[in-house]
């Protein structure tokens, strides 16, 4: 009897865990660069507190799609986005949306670590300062420390917070950029090939970090490394020639994908 | 099927595994056939040959595993490629076991040599072996063609072998009850029959593995049950003899 009730409880728990909540939803997203169409009606739901990896051959539109999620495409001359993207139910392309605030909620980490040529402290405190997130010096110190802790960098830099961020190693610089993104308490973090300039050890540290950040943030990562997608993500989306061809559990994607194009791509076969 | 890899050496590595498995299959078939022939004709020389061939399969399995591990480490295979390699490891293990069973049957030739084998029993054993060998041959053909449907069909046919094994079991019990001097040779023959029946199970395992390699999912539904002799008692055997 006891066993019965335990399994019943487990079922309820499982059901609860199976209730998926979507942080961002893209519907029929198309992107044009001038006359050139780069994305075709992409529909992708990004799960909350989940790492979603975007994979696919170069030029298939991964970065383009990623940039639509925080309107980074707005900064590109001649770029036009159609369709709908919502963040917690709100259309982020609605005219009433403040883009600066949007980018604080949906942060971004780029391929090449790009710290400001300023101190480590200033790199991290810059965002919170312009968003008015810390009132006193003590508040700011706390934000900087927490952010560096979360980026797994605190122990390495705590004694040299006022040295230049550009003096750090590549892997440390990338973690500094992650600390900078985390400092404004975003809800979603977008990463575009964040490890492509890093060696395997620095890459492993970033991947471990992604794994930890997932508890507090929703993460979308573009990667050209299939193994990285397999290691860090729970969901994987495969793009091909501007189309989303498959989105699936990462476990399924790497053992038995549904789409032939995904198969060929991840197995390294001629498509 | 799948288009070739961009890295052609990867295709070569996978082809190597396929080729070695097929070779193992051929050796295992031959060993089983020879072991049963040695048994029914009490041919000690042939039995000795089977026993000495077992190392071929042991070595082949070792080499397949080594190649598979190196390929996994170097290529990090995924999806169908990963299933292909895992499948090769599993099938090599099954075939190695088939070889062991053939060898075990061959060893018993020496024990039953002096007593000889009644003609009716020999025919029964031959028939059982024919079926098991047919199943093994078919499953190896399916391995070459990768037909998920045929793999499933083989898996569903194992009960034929089980039925014959059960009737042989009854027959052997009858002989033992007739004359206690039959007990020793009949016990050996019982183990031989069991060995042959087990080969059908290994063929079924291989069929399931091929199904998984091809489709990425396990075949559905219960597989045919093992033999029915677990509930047979002498009295029952007597009444049906
Ligand atoms: N700023 C841009 N101006 C014009 N075309 C662009 C621009 N950025 C990307 N593209 C084009 O859009 C397509 C998708 O590019 P991108 O999103 O960068 O692909 P991925 O990240 O998958 O490699 C490509 O054909 C690329 O040439
Ligand atoms: Mg890109």
């Amino acid at each position: 009897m006891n066993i019965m009730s335990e399994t019943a409880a487990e079922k309820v728990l499982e059901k609860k865990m199976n209730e998926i909540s979507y942080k961002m939803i893209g519907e029929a997203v198309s992107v044009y660069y001038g006359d050139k169409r780069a994305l075709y009606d992409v529909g992708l739901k990004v799960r909350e507190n989940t790492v979603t990896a975007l994979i696919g051959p170069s030029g298939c539109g991964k970065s383009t799609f990623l940039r639509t999620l925080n309107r980074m495409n707005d900064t590109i001359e001649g770029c036009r986005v159609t369709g709908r993207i919502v963040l917690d139910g709100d259309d982020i392309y609605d005219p009433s949306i403040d883009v600066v605030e949007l980018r604080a909620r949906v942060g971004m980490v780029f391929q090449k670590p790009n710290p400001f040529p300023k101190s480590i402290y200033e790199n991290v405190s810059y965002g919170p300062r312009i968003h008015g997130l810390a009132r006193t010096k003590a508040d700011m110190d706390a934000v900087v420390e927490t952010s560096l802790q979360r980026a797994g960098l605190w122990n390495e830099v705590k004694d040299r917070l006022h040295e230049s961020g550009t003096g750090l190693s590549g892997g440390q610089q990338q973690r500094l950029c992650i600390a900078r993104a985390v400092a404004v308490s975003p809800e979603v973090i977008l990463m575009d090939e964040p490890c492509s300039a890093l060696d395997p050890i620095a890459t492993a540290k970033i991947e471990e970090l992604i794994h930890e950040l997932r508890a507090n943030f929703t993460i979308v990562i573009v990667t050209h490394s299939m193994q990285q997608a397999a290691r860090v993500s729970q969901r994987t989306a495969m793009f091909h020639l501007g189309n989303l061809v498959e989105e699936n559990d990462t476990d399924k994607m790497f053992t038995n994908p549904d789409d032939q194009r995904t198969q060929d791509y991840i197995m390294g076969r001629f498509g | 099927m799948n288009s070739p890899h961009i890295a052609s050496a990867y295709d070569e590595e996978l082809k190597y595994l396929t080729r070695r498995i097929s070779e193992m299959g051929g050796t295992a078939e031959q060993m089983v056939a020879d072991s049963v022939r040695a048994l029914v004709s009490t041919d000690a020389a042939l039995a000795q040959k089977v026993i000495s061939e077992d190392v071929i399969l042991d070595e082949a399995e070792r080499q397949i595993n080594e190649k598979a591990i190196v390929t996994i480490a170097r290529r990090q295979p995924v999806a169908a490629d990963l299933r292909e390699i895992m499948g090769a490891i599993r099938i090599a293990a099954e075939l190695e076991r088939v070889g062991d069973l053939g060898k075990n049957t061959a060893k018993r030739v020496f024990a039953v040599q002096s007593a000889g084998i009644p003609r009716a029993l020999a025919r029964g054993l031959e028939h059982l072996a024919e079926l098991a060998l047919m199943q093994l041959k078919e499953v190896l053909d399916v391995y070459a063609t990768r037909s998920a449907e045929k793999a499933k069909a083989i898996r569903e046919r194992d009960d034929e072998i089980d039925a014959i094994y059960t009737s042989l079991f009854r027959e052997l019990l009858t002989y033992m009850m007739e004359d206690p001097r039959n007990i020793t040779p009949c016990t050996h023959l019982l183990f031989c029959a069991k060995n042959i029946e087990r080969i059908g199970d290994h063929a079924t395992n291989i069929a399931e593995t091929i199904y998984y390699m091809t489709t990425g999912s396990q075949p559905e539904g219960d597989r045919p049950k093992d033999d029915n002799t677990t509930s047979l008692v002498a009295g029952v055997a007597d009444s049906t003899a």
Side-chain angles (χ1 to χ4, degrees):
Chain A
M1 287 304 108
N2 203 3
I3 289 168
M4 292 280 286
S5 62
E6 244 173 58
T7 35
E10 258 168 35
K11 276 201 181 124
V12 171
L13 191 69
E14 199 180 297
K15 195 160 168 245
K16 237 186 177 156
M17 284 168 59
N18 286 342
E19 274 170 24
I20 298 157
S21 91
Y22 296 106
K23 189 70 190 172
M24 296 192 81
I25 298 175
E27 287 166 3
V29 177
S30 293
V31 176
Y32 304 80
Y33 293 106
D35 297 337
K36 195 176 168 291
R37 192 169 181 181
L39 281 185
Y40 295 83
D41 298 320
V42 171
L44 182 67
K45 293 176 169 178
V46 175
R47 300 181 179 195
E48 190 160 29
N49 295 119
T50 297
V51 180
T52 301
L54 311 184
I55 63 167
S58 268
C60 66
K62 303 178 297 291
S63 297
T64 299
F65 181 75
L66 193 76
R67 288 194 297 259
T68 64
L69 298 176
N70 71 347
R71 295 183 53 173
M72 225 47 155
N73 288 318
D74 289 12
T75 61
I76 298 172
E77 181 76 25
C79 181
R80 190 161 59 86
V81 179
T82 64
R84 223 166 89 89
I85 291 173
V86 299
L87 169 63
D88 284 342
D90 298 326
D91 184 343
I92 65 168
Y93 284 84
D94 191 275
S96 68
I97 290 284
D98 174 353
V99 178
V100 174
E101 194 198 321
L102 169 70
R103 292 192 191 132
R105 290 177 69 191
V106 184
M108 192 148 187
V109 175
F110 298 88
Q111 178 170 355
K112 252 191 90 201
N114 57 348
F116 310 133
K118 299 224 154 122
S119 73
I120 292 166
Y121 187 95
E122 281 168 295
N123 264 280
V124 182
S125 62
Y126 177 78
R129 178 166 304 126
I130 61 163
H131 287 100
L133 297 180
R135 246 175 258 154
T136 64
K137 169 86 169 70
D139 280 358
M140 187 59 89
D141 287 351
V143 169
V144 169
E145 176 170 348
T146 313
S147 304
L148 287 167
Q149 293 268 23
R150 282 197 160 157
L153 195 59
W154 176 249
N155 287 335
E156 289 160 61
V157 301
K158 62 173 188 259
D159 299 323
R160 45 172 170 148
L161 290 174
H162 297 285
E163 288 172 26
S164 175
T166 53
L168 297 170
S169 73
Q172 288 172 324
Q173 286 187 23
Q174 195 60 304
R175 279 181 282 143
L176 178 60
C177 293
I178 292 172
R180 196 173 64 189
V182 163
V184 294
S185 300
E187 294 154 52
V188 181
I189 302 174
L190 310 176
M191 299 185 176
D192 196 346
E193 302 193 11
C195 302
S196 58
L198 306 182
D199 67 39
I201 301 290
T203 297
K205 286 183 184 162
I206 301 282
E207 289 180 359
E208 171 59 12
L209 185 54
I210 292 170
H211 176 73
E212 286 166 7
L213 291 173
R214 183 190 153 208
N216 297 303
F217 307 95
T218 297
I219 295 167
V220 184
I221 177 174
V222 168
T223 173
H224 63 249
S225 157
M226 242 81 57
Q227 273 74 37
Q228 179 165 71
R231 288 191 297 260
V232 303
S233 72
Q234 290 75 51
R235 299 285 293 181
T236 300
M238 162 77 189
F239 286 76
H240 185 72
L241 301 174
N243 294 287
L244 173 66
V245 301
E246 179 171 358
E247 197 250 343
N248 230 325
D249 276 338
T250 299
D251 288 350
K252 166 96 165 95
M253 203 78 159
F254 286 92
T255 53
N256 195 15
D258 292 325
D259 191 277
Q260 186 64 45
R261 289 163 292 184
T262 312
Q263 298 238 23
D264 288 340
Y265 181 67
I266 63 171
M267 298 199 295
R269 291 173 182 267
F270 290 107
Chain B
M1 267 185 55
N2 286 309
S3 34
H5 283 99
I6 296 161
S8 58
Y10 193 174
D11 285 330
E12 292 308 316
E13 286 160 20
L14 294 180
K15 270 187 216 149
Y16 169 88
L17 292 175
T18 312
R19 183 169 58 76
R20 294 306 308 273
I21 292 279
S22 298
E23 285 170 7
M24 275 189 87
T27 307
E29 264 183 279
Q30 190 61 50
M31 281 177 70
V32 172
D34 286 348
S35 71
V36 175
R37 213 148 50 81
L39 183 69
V40 297
S41 57
T42 52
D43 183 339
L46 188 56
Q48 197 53 59
K49 174 176 169 277
V50 172
I51 292 164
S52 68
E53 276 166 354
D54 188 49
V55 292
I56 300 173
L57 290 185
D58 291 349
E59 179 60 14
E61 190 202 5
R62 199 188 58 73
Q63 287 172 357
I64 286 168
N65 283 347
E66 204 168 272
K67 186 69 162 184
I69 282 176
V70 167
T71 304
I72 290 169
R74 291 170 55 130
R75 310 258 178 214
Q76 285 123 51
V78 293
D81 292 332
L82 180 57
R83 301 200 303 269
E84 176 73 28
I85 294 170
M86 295 310 293
I89 294 172
R90 279 200 233 161
I91 293 173
E94 296 290 342
L95 291 173
E96 190 273 331
R97 286 293 299 140
V98 170
D100 284 348
L101 293 169
K103 179 184 174 183
N104 186 275
T105 301
K107 278 182 178 168
R108 294 179 194 277
V109 169
F110 306 102
V112 298
Q113 206 171 11
S114 54
I117 301 173
R119 198 54 226 149
L121 272 179
R123 265 204 301 277
L125 282 167
E126 277 171 333
H127 187 39
L128 185 66
E130 247 166 54
L131 285 178
L133 277 168
M134 202 200 297
Q135 211 174 7
L136 188 59
K137 185 186 170 323
E138 278 176 23
V139 87
L140 292 167
D141 288 347
V142 173
Y143 178 73
T145 62
R146 300 299 159 86
S147 158
E149 264 146 58
K150 284 187 186 157
K152 220 170 156 190
I154 288 178
R155 176 176 172 266
E156 276 152 16
R157 273 215 333 267
D158 198 39
D159 40 3
E160 232 176 307
I161 292 182
D162 291 338
I164 297 190
Y165 169 69
T166 304
S167 84
L168 258 176
F169 182 94
R170 287 176 166 157
E171 232 173 298
L172 285 164
L173 278 190
T174 316
Y175 278 100
M176 291 192 244
M177 284 185 300
E178 271 170 19
D179 185 344
R181 279 170 304 180
N182 285 339
I183 288 176
T184 302
C186 280
T187 302
H188 283 294
L189 290 177
L190 192 54
F191 278 119
C192 290
K194 186 68 191 168
N195 286 344
I196 299 166
E197 185 268 337
R198 288 290 299 149
I199 288 161
D201 292 342
H202 289 295
T204 305
N205 290 345
I206 294 172
E208 284 177 359
T209 300
I210 297 169
Y211 185 90
Y212 175 73
M213 289 163 81
T214 316
T215 65
S217 52
Q218 307 289 347
E220 276 167 32
D222 285 344
R223 60 185 287 176
K225 55 196 169 309
D226 212 348
D227 71 73
N228 301 317
T229 54
T230 43
S231 56
L232 282 188
V233 292
V236 176
D238 200 15
S239 69
T240 53

